[in-house]
Amino acid sequence: MPSIRLQGSDGEIFEVDVELAKQSVTIKAMLEDLVMDDEGDDDPIPLTNVNVAILKKVTQWCTHHKDDPPPPEDDENKEKQTDDITVWDQEFLKVGQRTLFELILAANYLDIEGLLNVTCKTVASMIKEKTEEIHKTFTVESDFTEEEEAQMRKEKLV
Amino acid sequence: MEEEVQQHSHCVNCVSRRCMTRPEPGIACDLIGCPLVCGAVFHSCKADEHRLLCPFERVPCLNSNFGCPFTMARNKVAEHLEVCPASVVCCTMEWNRWPVSYADRKSYENLSRDVDEVAQLDMALALQDQRMLLESLKVATMMSKATDKISETREQISVKSSVQEIPCTNGLVSVDEESYGALYQATVETTRSLAAALDILNSATRDIGMLNTSLSVTTDKMDESNRESFQERNLKDEDHLHEEEMGAVGGVDHNGISQNAQSEQNGSSDLLCDLSTTSLGTAVLCNGFPLENMCSQIKDQDQNFPRDSIDSNIENGECAAADGTSEPSSSLLVAAQLREIIPFSALPDSAFQHILMPDEDDEEDLYWKKVDLGDVKDVDDPPFSHTPSFKFLSNSWYIPKEDKAVDTSDLEVAEDPMDLQGIDLITAALLFCLGDSPGGRGISDSRMVDVYHIDFGTQTFSLPSAILATNTMVGEIASASACDHANPQLSNPSPFQTLGLDLVLECVARYQPKQRSMFTFVCGQLFRRKEFPSHFKNVHGDIHAGLNGWMEQRCPLAYYGCTYSQRRFCPSTQGAKIIHDRHLRSFGVQPCVSTVLEEPSRNCVLGLRSDHLSSLPFEVLQHIAGFLDGFSLCQLACVSRLMRDVCGSLLQSRGMVILQWGKKKYPEGNSSWQIKEKVWRFSTAFCSVNEWKFADILSMADHLKTCSYNVVQKQEEAVPLPCMCVTRELTKEGRSLRSVLKPVL
């Protein structure tokens, strides 16, 4: 099967199947814009925002989901669930926070909707806690003043 | 007429899509199609009229006046209304709780001891209800305003008494007459009738004291002049008392800008009227009648009054100084002694009380008599050996009474860091609402004395109306009752954490009459229309209904102090559990996320984790937040400014808009309610739980094996059955067992 060569942000070259790569709307657009003959161009496609390690993870996900139907049109009125992550995806995403967020960034850059959804759902599930736990889980510093915090607590407003 | 002139005479009545009339100025115009291509064809002069009907015309939402900012095609309005942010539903679900009975108070203190993080849903909800109850029981008192408004108030009230008005120094609940005129008058009438009832009650209790026999005379006669002055003052005071009570009951001092008032204006508050509080004094009342000065007068007259007996019980309505000092302490303190001698259901064997009685020689004089309450224990058998004299009844007017405020500083009320104005506010708040609850303290104990059905006052503090009629803080009354040495356990050092409400919640229909002592709580939370069904089903139908031992199962020995409980049900989603947030006053669902491994921080010298979440692009954070429910969005919005902005960007699509009303007063004197602002917020709805499953937990029997309160008693000796004990005695005499056993019929 024809393959293309991708160059990560760290300079490494990674070869991937064209059909798998076309799950990325970004790569697909690049391929359509570039003039490539049947022998293939040896020049790799530069992906400055994604390193090879993450590219390999992305490829792994795309390989598993290559036969998935296209996702339905996003309905804003429909309640978005976070409990519909498949078991395989749950195991796949048992990674560190740093890797998880790099996958999110990669999915966002490469415009892979399915991967972006499942990674964002995973983070959303982690956020579904109380404010104090969110601070601890994600090491987010609160930049509110004490008066603002007291006011928020009193009003319970956003 | 002008419109008809503008419309063409032909076009007015023409609706044909194939009209062939030639256009003529003033007569007819040409046909056009809808610019939005809705398919309509009409004369061009009707273009504006068609815009009122065109389904593709962009129109504001029907709820635009309620804050909805959206515009959409007319044919999308119905679909939008289902998710309109201004289409807000207020949950009116109610539930009820009993206050903790006196007998169960100790076990509830154990249950709620050392509870920092409430993980038990039933306890969390009960404490939430208790906090709401305490907040709603704050009574607004502004001494200065009350003093100023007293004169204004009296002008409004028709005072029939011609006695000299004595300025009330007790301090009344200030009333905003303009705002609460009708309600004010209604409460005035109510209080007047209640005061009259209290008057009768106290008169009757005094009379009962005079009916008791075997009294020992110990007090001197009252000075004639003092008695006369007391008479006059008593008459004045009685009327004055009515005026005081009339002038204050139900009054409210609205600052108008207080937070809780604001939230009430939002319509999202489920509390009762919340009032800011500054208490500047205390009026001591006993069953609605001030006692201080009367007690001091009586005390001064009685030189031989035994110091010890001062602490004895005083019949309700008449008091002496409790601690024997020349300066009488709180009359409530004294009145509280009643509790010791006349408990809820029984009288002690050798209790004495001192009551004011007419002198046998001179019926116009009064003296203290020591009454042996043992004689009145058996109310069915009058202990009197002679026909009781009822002449003293006419002397009841001579009992001196005077209104006087009491400084409760000598009660050593500890300062409340939480600004509750009382140590055991919860106790007072709950007790003062108690009426004739079987689990609580009755107002009076009815007894038959000398063919009269008389009520002995047993309550140690004022009825609710009297409390509202003064600036007495509920907490201060609680402090007074806490000084009841017979019941020190009523003191509650941690009113927020120790539960005073029953853990078991009940659902009594709104139309059903409820006992006065049963508290009713309303959900009162606001939701988007689409969120309401899942909220009602999950929160009220599943969680609330399951808290009484079904979902949250407590150890059978909880009454003895075991705090163990286990959750038997959980959402069917793998690992999800129900949590409760105190600040949001709501339940939520917390999913169990597969363990995200912690990576060693290679870039950070100190090994600290960096904030990856905040480094994500804004649109990615929006995408993540789009998967969160309202409950989680409320939590996320309080994390940081960035997260607050992310959540803010979702307000229009996921939040709701609530109108905040404010009263505007005009120079002419009238006022009207106007919309001050529109507040956007998220609801506390969580993602719908469609299925529940049994949690993977151990059986309660496994816990009982190790429960520290499960003390197993092993009987080593045989326990004789009562019937066998009797028959054993009978058979000792040599009789056979068959002869002593009763035949089974």
Side-chain angles (χ1 to χ4, degrees), chain B residues 154 157 159 161 188 191-199 235-249 288-289 401 403 469:
Chain B
R154 292 176 193 276
I157 303 169
V159 179
S161 171
V188 160
T191 311
R192 202 178 296 175
S193 58
L194 281 173
L198 288 172
D199 200 355
L235 288 173
K236 295 175 191 175
D237 290 346
E238 286 191 3
D239 292 332
H240 172 63
L241 177 66
H242 285 283
E243 293 165 7
E244 288 178 338
E245 291 180 339
M246 286 187 302
V249 172
F289 289 92
K401 290 183 295 182
D403 296 334

PDB file of all heavy atoms in Angstrom, chain B residues 154 157 159 161 188 191-199 235-249 288-289 401 403 469:
ATOM      1  N   ARG B 154     -46.928  53.353  65.811  1.00  0.00           N
ATOM      2  CA  ARG B 154     -48.088  53.524  66.669  1.00  0.00           C
ATOM      3  C   ARG B 154     -49.142  54.384  66.003  1.00  0.00           C
ATOM      4  O   ARG B 154     -50.315  54.255  66.257  1.00  0.00           O
ATOM      5  CB  ARG B 154     -47.666  54.153  67.983  1.00  0.00           C
ATOM      6  CG  ARG B 154     -46.809  53.223  68.816  1.00  0.00           C
ATOM      7  CD  ARG B 154     -46.343  53.927  70.062  1.00  0.00           C
ATOM      8  NE  ARG B 154     -45.286  53.171  70.694  1.00  0.00           N
ATOM      9  CZ  ARG B 154     -45.496  52.169  71.512  1.00  0.00           C
ATOM     10  NH1 ARG B 154     -46.721  51.827  71.814  1.00  0.00           N
ATOM     11  NH2 ARG B 154     -44.501  51.511  72.046  1.00  0.00           N
ATOM     12  N   ILE B 157     -51.389  52.064  64.135  1.00  0.00           N
ATOM     13  CA  ILE B 157     -52.173  51.087  64.863  1.00  0.00           C
ATOM     14  C   ILE B 157     -53.203  51.820  65.699  1.00  0.00           C
ATOM     15  O   ILE B 157     -52.913  52.790  66.370  1.00  0.00           O
ATOM     16  CB  ILE B 157     -51.278  50.234  65.778  1.00  0.00           C
ATOM     17  CG1 ILE B 157     -50.204  49.554  64.936  1.00  0.00           C
ATOM     18  CG2 ILE B 157     -52.084  49.219  66.543  1.00  0.00           C
ATOM     19  CD1 ILE B 157     -49.138  48.928  65.750  1.00  0.00           C
ATOM     20  N   VAL B 159     -54.786  52.224  68.770  1.00  0.00           N
ATOM     21  CA  VAL B 159     -54.602  51.821  70.156  1.00  0.00           C
ATOM     22  C   VAL B 159     -55.829  52.211  70.935  1.00  0.00           C
ATOM     23  O   VAL B 159     -56.171  53.375  71.072  1.00  0.00           O
ATOM     24  CB  VAL B 159     -53.352  52.509  70.751  1.00  0.00           C
ATOM     25  CG1 VAL B 159     -53.179  52.112  72.192  1.00  0.00           C
ATOM     26  CG2 VAL B 159     -52.125  52.159  69.929  1.00  0.00           C
ATOM     27  N   SER B 161     -56.419  51.456  74.111  1.00  0.00           N
ATOM     28  CA  SER B 161     -56.168  51.738  75.514  1.00  0.00           C
ATOM     29  C   SER B 161     -55.882  53.211  75.706  1.00  0.00           C
ATOM     30  O   SER B 161     -55.221  53.856  74.911  1.00  0.00           O
ATOM     31  CB  SER B 161     -54.982  50.901  76.003  1.00  0.00           C
ATOM     32  OG  SER B 161     -54.591  51.310  77.283  1.00  0.00           O
ATOM     33  N   VAL B 188     -50.040  42.032  62.892  1.00  0.00           N
ATOM     34  CA  VAL B 188     -50.424  42.740  64.115  1.00  0.00           C
ATOM     35  C   VAL B 188     -51.631  42.068  64.734  1.00  0.00           C
ATOM     36  O   VAL B 188     -51.677  41.798  65.934  1.00  0.00           O
ATOM     37  CB  VAL B 188     -50.710  44.216  63.792  1.00  0.00           C
ATOM     38  CG1 VAL B 188     -51.553  44.844  64.873  1.00  0.00           C
ATOM     39  CG2 VAL B 188     -49.404  44.977  63.614  1.00  0.00           C
ATOM     40  N   THR B 191     -50.735  38.700  66.201  1.00  0.00           N
ATOM     41  CA  THR B 191     -50.005  38.789  67.461  1.00  0.00           C
ATOM     42  C   THR B 191     -50.911  39.235  68.580  1.00  0.00           C
ATOM     43  O   THR B 191     -50.752  38.822  69.731  1.00  0.00           O
ATOM     44  CB  THR B 191     -48.842  39.778  67.300  1.00  0.00           C
ATOM     45  OG1 THR B 191     -48.118  39.456  66.120  1.00  0.00           O
ATOM     46  CG2 THR B 191     -47.927  39.706  68.513  1.00  0.00           C
ATOM     47  N   ARG B 192     -51.835  40.084  68.248  1.00  0.00           N
ATOM     48  CA  ARG B 192     -52.756  40.531  69.291  1.00  0.00           C
ATOM     49  C   ARG B 192     -53.528  39.347  69.844  1.00  0.00           C
ATOM     50  O   ARG B 192     -53.687  39.211  71.056  1.00  0.00           O
ATOM     51  CB  ARG B 192     -53.696  41.576  68.696  1.00  0.00           C
ATOM     52  CG  ARG B 192     -54.326  42.474  69.738  1.00  0.00           C
ATOM     53  CD  ARG B 192     -55.202  43.516  69.071  1.00  0.00           C
ATOM     54  NE  ARG B 192     -54.445  44.431  68.228  1.00  0.00           N
ATOM     55  CZ  ARG B 192     -55.017  45.359  67.476  1.00  0.00           C
ATOM     56  NH1 ARG B 192     -56.324  45.456  67.414  1.00  0.00           N
ATOM     57  NH2 ARG B 192     -54.275  46.163  66.739  1.00  0.00           N
ATOM     58  N   SER B 193     -54.012  38.497  68.969  1.00  0.00           N
ATOM     59  CA  SER B 193     -54.764  37.345  69.448  1.00  0.00           C
ATOM     60  C   SER B 193     -53.878  36.386  70.199  1.00  0.00           C
ATOM     61  O   SER B 193     -54.273  35.790  71.194  1.00  0.00           O
ATOM     62  CB  SER B 193     -55.447  36.644  68.278  1.00  0.00           C
ATOM     63  OG  SER B 193     -54.486  36.240  67.333  1.00  0.00           O
ATOM     64  N   LEU B 194     -52.641  36.237  69.738  1.00  0.00           N
ATOM     65  CA  LEU B 194     -51.709  35.347  70.440  1.00  0.00           C
ATOM     66  C   LEU B 194     -51.387  35.898  71.816  1.00  0.00           C
ATOM     67  O   LEU B 194     -51.279  35.167  72.790  1.00  0.00           O
ATOM     68  CB  LEU B 194     -50.437  35.181  69.624  1.00  0.00           C
ATOM     69  CG  LEU B 194     -50.524  34.192  68.454  1.00  0.00           C
ATOM     70  CD1 LEU B 194     -49.269  34.251  67.622  1.00  0.00           C
ATOM     71  CD2 LEU B 194     -50.761  32.786  68.951  1.00  0.00           C
ATOM     72  N   ALA B 195     -51.209  37.187  71.894  1.00  0.00           N
ATOM     73  CA  ALA B 195     -50.909  37.788  73.199  1.00  0.00           C
ATOM     74  C   ALA B 195     -52.064  37.595  74.146  1.00  0.00           C
ATOM     75  O   ALA B 195     -51.875  37.348  75.343  1.00  0.00           O
ATOM     76  CB  ALA B 195     -50.586  39.270  73.016  1.00  0.00           C
ATOM     77  N   ALA B 196     -53.263  37.698  73.632  1.00  0.00           N
ATOM     78  CA  ALA B 196     -54.422  37.474  74.477  1.00  0.00           C
ATOM     79  C   ALA B 196     -54.444  36.042  74.973  1.00  0.00           C
ATOM     80  O   ALA B 196     -54.742  35.769  76.138  1.00  0.00           O
ATOM     81  CB  ALA B 196     -55.696  37.806  73.704  1.00  0.00           C
ATOM     82  N   ALA B 197     -54.119  35.123  74.114  1.00  0.00           N
ATOM     83  CA  ALA B 197     -54.073  33.718  74.519  1.00  0.00           C
ATOM     84  C   ALA B 197     -53.015  33.496  75.572  1.00  0.00           C
ATOM     85  O   ALA B 197     -53.200  32.761  76.538  1.00  0.00           O
ATOM     86  CB  ALA B 197     -53.819  32.832  73.300  1.00  0.00           C
ATOM     87  N   LEU B 198     -51.887  34.140  75.407  1.00  0.00           N
ATOM     88  CA  LEU B 198     -50.815  34.012  76.397  1.00  0.00           C
ATOM     89  C   LEU B 198     -51.251  34.592  77.725  1.00  0.00           C
ATOM     90  O   LEU B 198     -50.903  34.086  78.794  1.00  0.00           O
ATOM     91  CB  LEU B 198     -49.562  34.712  75.895  1.00  0.00           C
ATOM     92  CG  LEU B 198     -48.833  34.024  74.748  1.00  0.00           C
ATOM     93  CD1 LEU B 198     -47.739  34.905  74.212  1.00  0.00           C
ATOM     94  CD2 LEU B 198     -48.278  32.691  75.186  1.00  0.00           C
ATOM     95  N   ASP B 199     -51.978  35.653  77.651  1.00  0.00           N
ATOM     96  CA  ASP B 199     -52.460  36.276  78.873  1.00  0.00           C
ATOM     97  C   ASP B 199     -53.337  35.321  79.646  1.00  0.00           C
ATOM     98  O   ASP B 199     -53.207  35.159  80.858  1.00  0.00           O
ATOM     99  CB  ASP B 199     -53.222  37.556  78.507  1.00  0.00           C
ATOM    100  CG  ASP B 199     -53.327  38.494  79.684  1.00  0.00           C
ATOM    101  OD1 ASP B 199     -52.888  38.097  80.786  1.00  0.00           O
ATOM    102  OD2 ASP B 199     -53.848  39.599  79.509  1.00  0.00           O
ATOM    103  N   LEU B 235     -51.420  47.435  84.432  1.00  0.00           N
ATOM    104  CA  LEU B 235     -52.411  47.709  83.404  1.00  0.00           C
ATOM    105  C   LEU B 235     -51.763  48.358  82.206  1.00  0.00           C
ATOM    106  O   LEU B 235     -52.036  48.016  81.067  1.00  0.00           O
ATOM    107  CB  LEU B 235     -53.497  48.627  83.978  1.00  0.00           C
ATOM    108  CG  LEU B 235     -54.448  47.949  84.977  1.00  0.00           C
ATOM    109  CD1 LEU B 235     -55.355  48.989  85.614  1.00  0.00           C
ATOM    110  CD2 LEU B 235     -55.256  46.864  84.323  1.00  0.00           C
ATOM    111  N   LYS B 236     -50.899  49.299  82.487  1.00  0.00           N
ATOM    112  CA  LYS B 236     -50.238  49.977  81.387  1.00  0.00           C
ATOM    113  C   LYS B 236     -49.404  48.988  80.610  1.00  0.00           C
ATOM    114  O   LYS B 236     -49.385  48.980  79.395  1.00  0.00           O
ATOM    115  CB  LYS B 236     -49.337  51.083  81.917  1.00  0.00           C
ATOM    116  CG  LYS B 236     -50.057  52.205  82.606  1.00  0.00           C
ATOM    117  CD  LYS B 236     -49.036  53.177  83.197  1.00  0.00           C
ATOM    118  CE  LYS B 236     -49.736  54.160  84.122  1.00  0.00           C
ATOM    119  NZ  LYS B 236     -48.765  55.045  84.803  1.00  0.00           N
ATOM    120  N   ASP B 237     -48.710  48.161  81.384  1.00  0.00           N
ATOM    121  CA  ASP B 237     -47.787  47.244  80.736  1.00  0.00           C
ATOM    122  C   ASP B 237     -48.525  46.251  79.880  1.00  0.00           C
ATOM    123  O   ASP B 237     -48.059  45.847  78.828  1.00  0.00           O
ATOM    124  CB  ASP B 237     -46.935  46.496  81.760  1.00  0.00           C
ATOM    125  CG  ASP B 237     -45.949  47.435  82.413  1.00  0.00           C
ATOM    126  OD1 ASP B 237     -45.767  48.534  81.879  1.00  0.00           O
ATOM    127  OD2 ASP B 237     -45.401  47.076  83.464  1.00  0.00           O
ATOM    128  N   GLU B 238     -49.688  45.828  80.345  1.00  0.00           N
ATOM    129  CA  GLU B 238     -50.403  44.840  79.564  1.00  0.00           C
ATOM    130  C   GLU B 238     -50.801  45.428  78.222  1.00  0.00           C
ATOM    131  O   GLU B 238     -50.638  44.807  77.180  1.00  0.00           O
ATOM    132  CB  GLU B 238     -51.632  44.354  80.316  1.00  0.00           C
ATOM    133  CG  GLU B 238     -51.275  43.425  81.460  1.00  0.00           C
ATOM    134  CD  GLU B 238     -52.512  42.752  82.019  1.00  0.00           C
ATOM    135  OE1 GLU B 238     -53.599  42.976  81.483  1.00  0.00           O
ATOM    136  OE2 GLU B 238     -52.375  42.018  82.989  1.00  0.00           O
ATOM    137  N   ASP B 239     -51.316  46.666  78.290  1.00  0.00           N
ATOM    138  CA  ASP B 239     -51.655  47.290  77.020  1.00  0.00           C
ATOM    139  C   ASP B 239     -50.409  47.568  76.221  1.00  0.00           C
ATOM    140  O   ASP B 239     -50.378  47.408  75.011  1.00  0.00           O
ATOM    141  CB  ASP B 239     -52.408  48.602  77.276  1.00  0.00           C
ATOM    142  CG  ASP B 239     -53.772  48.307  77.868  1.00  0.00           C
ATOM    143  OD1 ASP B 239     -54.315  47.236  77.601  1.00  0.00           O
ATOM    144  OD2 ASP B 239     -54.280  49.154  78.628  1.00  0.00           O
ATOM    145  N   HIS B 240     -49.413  48.014  76.961  1.00  0.00           N
ATOM    146  CA  HIS B 240     -48.165  48.353  76.276  1.00  0.00           C
ATOM    147  C   HIS B 240     -47.569  47.114  75.634  1.00  0.00           C
ATOM    148  O   HIS B 240     -47.015  47.148  74.551  1.00  0.00           O
ATOM    149  CB  HIS B 240     -47.207  48.945  77.282  1.00  0.00           C
ATOM    150  CG  HIS B 240     -45.840  49.146  76.730  1.00  0.00           C
ATOM    151  ND1 HIS B 240     -45.581  50.006  75.695  1.00  0.00           N
ATOM    152  CD2 HIS B 240     -44.658  48.581  77.040  1.00  0.00           C
ATOM    153  CE1 HIS B 240     -44.302  49.978  75.417  1.00  0.00           C
ATOM    154  NE2 HIS B 240     -43.710  49.129  76.205  1.00  0.00           N
ATOM    155  N   LEU B 241     -47.718  46.022  76.334  1.00  0.00           N
ATOM    156  CA  LEU B 241     -47.187  44.771  75.787  1.00  0.00           C
ATOM    157  C   LEU B 241     -47.877  44.444  74.482  1.00  0.00           C
ATOM    158  O   LEU B 241     -47.264  44.045  73.505  1.00  0.00           O
ATOM    159  CB  LEU B 241     -47.385  43.648  76.808  1.00  0.00           C
ATOM    160  CG  LEU B 241     -46.939  42.271  76.323  1.00  0.00           C
ATOM    161  CD1 LEU B 241     -45.446  42.242  76.130  1.00  0.00           C
ATOM    162  CD2 LEU B 241     -47.363  41.208  77.300  1.00  0.00           C
ATOM    163  N   HIS B 242     -49.188  44.649  74.504  1.00  0.00           N
ATOM    164  CA  HIS B 242     -49.916  44.388  73.264  1.00  0.00           C
ATOM    165  C   HIS B 242     -49.396  45.274  72.154  1.00  0.00           C
ATOM    166  O   HIS B 242     -49.220  44.854  71.034  1.00  0.00           O
ATOM    167  CB  HIS B 242     -51.401  44.643  73.475  1.00  0.00           C
ATOM    168  CG  HIS B 242     -52.062  43.559  74.256  1.00  0.00           C
ATOM    169  ND1 HIS B 242     -52.387  42.341  73.693  1.00  0.00           N
ATOM    170  CD2 HIS B 242     -52.430  43.486  75.535  1.00  0.00           C
ATOM    171  CE1 HIS B 242     -52.942  41.574  74.620  1.00  0.00           C
ATOM    172  NE2 HIS B 242     -52.981  42.245  75.740  1.00  0.00           N
ATOM    173  N   GLU B 243     -49.152  46.509  72.514  1.00  0.00           N
ATOM    174  CA  GLU B 243     -48.689  47.438  71.495  1.00  0.00           C
ATOM    175  C   GLU B 243     -47.342  47.021  70.953  1.00  0.00           C
ATOM    176  O   GLU B 243     -47.080  47.080  69.779  1.00  0.00           O
ATOM    177  CB  GLU B 243     -48.597  48.847  72.079  1.00  0.00           C
ATOM    178  CG  GLU B 243     -49.964  49.411  72.440  1.00  0.00           C
ATOM    179  CD  GLU B 243     -49.831  50.622  73.345  1.00  0.00           C
ATOM    180  OE1 GLU B 243     -48.705  51.083  73.569  1.00  0.00           O
ATOM    181  OE2 GLU B 243     -50.854  51.096  73.831  1.00  0.00           O
ATOM    182  N   GLU B 244     -46.509  46.599  71.874  1.00  0.00           N
ATOM    183  CA  GLU B 244     -45.189  46.163  71.426  1.00  0.00           C
ATOM    184  C   GLU B 244     -45.308  45.009  70.474  1.00  0.00           C
ATOM    185  O   GLU B 244     -44.694  44.953  69.433  1.00  0.00           O
ATOM    186  CB  GLU B 244     -44.343  45.750  72.623  1.00  0.00           C
ATOM    187  CG  GLU B 244     -43.881  46.911  73.463  1.00  0.00           C
ATOM    188  CD  GLU B 244     -43.092  46.407  74.652  1.00  0.00           C
ATOM    189  OE1 GLU B 244     -43.260  45.251  75.029  1.00  0.00           O
ATOM    190  OE2 GLU B 244     -42.319  47.187  75.178  1.00  0.00           O
ATOM    191  N   GLU B 245     -46.119  44.054  70.877  1.00  0.00           N
ATOM    192  CA  GLU B 245     -46.224  42.871  70.045  1.00  0.00           C
ATOM    193  C   GLU B 245     -46.898  43.227  68.740  1.00  0.00           C
ATOM    194  O   GLU B 245     -46.555  42.722  67.704  1.00  0.00           O
ATOM    195  CB  GLU B 245     -46.997  41.793  70.764  1.00  0.00           C
ATOM    196  CG  GLU B 245     -46.236  41.231  71.961  1.00  0.00           C
ATOM    197  CD  GLU B 245     -47.031  40.152  72.657  1.00  0.00           C
ATOM    198  OE1 GLU B 245     -48.251  40.146  72.476  1.00  0.00           O
ATOM    199  OE2 GLU B 245     -46.442  39.350  73.373  1.00  0.00           O
ATOM    200  N   MET B 246     -47.872  44.117  68.838  1.00  0.00           N
ATOM    201  CA  MET B 246     -48.553  44.477  67.619  1.00  0.00           C
ATOM    202  C   MET B 246     -47.600  45.171  66.671  1.00  0.00           C
ATOM    203  O   MET B 246     -47.693  45.036  65.480  1.00  0.00           O
ATOM    204  CB  MET B 246     -49.719  45.410  67.924  1.00  0.00           C
ATOM    205  CG  MET B 246     -50.902  44.696  68.560  1.00  0.00           C
ATOM    206  SD  MET B 246     -52.317  45.786  68.710  1.00  0.00           S
ATOM    207  CE  MET B 246     -51.648  47.089  69.699  1.00  0.00           C
ATOM    208  N   GLY B 247     -46.709  45.919  67.270  1.00  0.00           N
ATOM    209  CA  GLY B 247     -45.885  46.746  66.418  1.00  0.00           C
ATOM    210  C   GLY B 247     -44.741  46.027  65.764  1.00  0.00           C
ATOM    211  O   GLY B 247     -43.966  46.622  65.061  1.00  0.00           O
ATOM    212  N   ALA B 248     -44.644  44.758  66.012  1.00  0.00           N
ATOM    213  CA  ALA B 248     -43.397  44.161  65.552  1.00  0.00           C
ATOM    214  C   ALA B 248     -43.549  42.836  64.876  1.00  0.00           C
ATOM    215  O   ALA B 248     -42.726  42.473  64.066  1.00  0.00           O
ATOM    216  CB  ALA B 248     -42.454  43.998  66.730  1.00  0.00           C
ATOM    217  N   VAL B 249     -44.572  42.122  65.167  1.00  0.00           N
ATOM    218  CA  VAL B 249     -44.603  40.751  64.663  1.00  0.00           C
ATOM    219  C   VAL B 249     -44.622  40.753  63.159  1.00  0.00           C
ATOM    220  O   VAL B 249     -45.399  41.437  62.530  1.00  0.00           O
ATOM    221  CB  VAL B 249     -45.854  40.018  65.191  1.00  0.00           C
ATOM    222  CG1 VAL B 249     -45.990  38.683  64.519  1.00  0.00           C
ATOM    223  CG2 VAL B 249     -45.740  39.860  66.690  1.00  0.00           C
ATOM    224  N   GLY B 288     -44.224  35.150  76.651  1.00  0.00           N
ATOM    225  CA  GLY B 288     -44.788  36.376  76.119  1.00  0.00           C
ATOM    226  C   GLY B 288     -44.900  37.493  77.123  1.00  0.00           C
ATOM    227  O   GLY B 288     -45.260  38.601  76.793  1.00  0.00           O
ATOM    228  N   PHE B 289     -44.565  37.261  78.358  1.00  0.00           N
ATOM    229  CA  PHE B 289     -44.697  38.312  79.340  1.00  0.00           C
ATOM    230  C   PHE B 289     -43.335  38.616  79.937  1.00  0.00           C
ATOM    231  O   PHE B 289     -42.632  37.724  80.369  1.00  0.00           O
ATOM    232  CB  PHE B 289     -45.642  37.884  80.467  1.00  0.00           C
ATOM    233  CG  PHE B 289     -47.058  37.820  80.020  1.00  0.00           C
ATOM    234  CD1 PHE B 289     -47.579  36.628  79.530  1.00  0.00           C
ATOM    235  CD2 PHE B 289     -47.857  38.934  80.045  1.00  0.00           C
ATOM    236  CE1 PHE B 289     -48.875  36.561  79.096  1.00  0.00           C
ATOM    237  CE2 PHE B 289     -49.165  38.874  79.622  1.00  0.00           C
ATOM    238  CZ  PHE B 289     -49.675  37.686  79.146  1.00  0.00           C
ATOM    239  N   LYS B 401     -46.322  43.502  86.805  1.00  0.00           N
ATOM    240  CA  LYS B 401     -45.600  43.145  85.600  1.00  0.00           C
ATOM    241  C   LYS B 401     -45.022  44.412  85.014  1.00  0.00           C
ATOM    242  O   LYS B 401     -45.605  45.479  85.099  1.00  0.00           O
ATOM    243  CB  LYS B 401     -46.522  42.489  84.570  1.00  0.00           C
ATOM    244  CG  LYS B 401     -46.977  41.115  84.962  1.00  0.00           C
ATOM    245  CD  LYS B 401     -47.839  40.506  83.855  1.00  0.00           C
ATOM    246  CE  LYS B 401     -49.092  41.306  83.698  1.00  0.00           C
ATOM    247  NZ  LYS B 401     -49.973  40.702  82.666  1.00  0.00           N
ATOM    248  N   ASP B 403     -42.476  45.706  81.679  1.00  0.00           N
ATOM    249  CA  ASP B 403     -41.607  45.389  80.563  1.00  0.00           C
ATOM    250  C   ASP B 403     -40.219  45.898  80.836  1.00  0.00           C
ATOM    251  O   ASP B 403     -40.014  47.012  81.283  1.00  0.00           O
ATOM    252  CB  ASP B 403     -42.113  46.049  79.277  1.00  0.00           C
ATOM    253  CG  ASP B 403     -43.462  45.488  78.905  1.00  0.00           C
ATOM    254  OD1 ASP B 403     -43.741  44.354  79.281  1.00  0.00           O
ATOM    255  OD2 ASP B 403     -44.232  46.210  78.267  1.00  0.00           O
ATOM    256  N   ALA B 469     -41.714  39.541  68.105  1.00  0.00           N
ATOM    257  CA  ALA B 469     -42.158  40.846  68.551  1.00  0.00           C
ATOM    258  C   ALA B 469     -41.051  41.634  69.213  1.00  0.00           C
ATOM    259  O   ALA B 469     -41.234  42.769  69.542  1.00  0.00           O
ATOM    260  CB  ALA B 469     -43.329  40.691  69.518  1.00  0.00           C
TER     261      ALA B 469
END
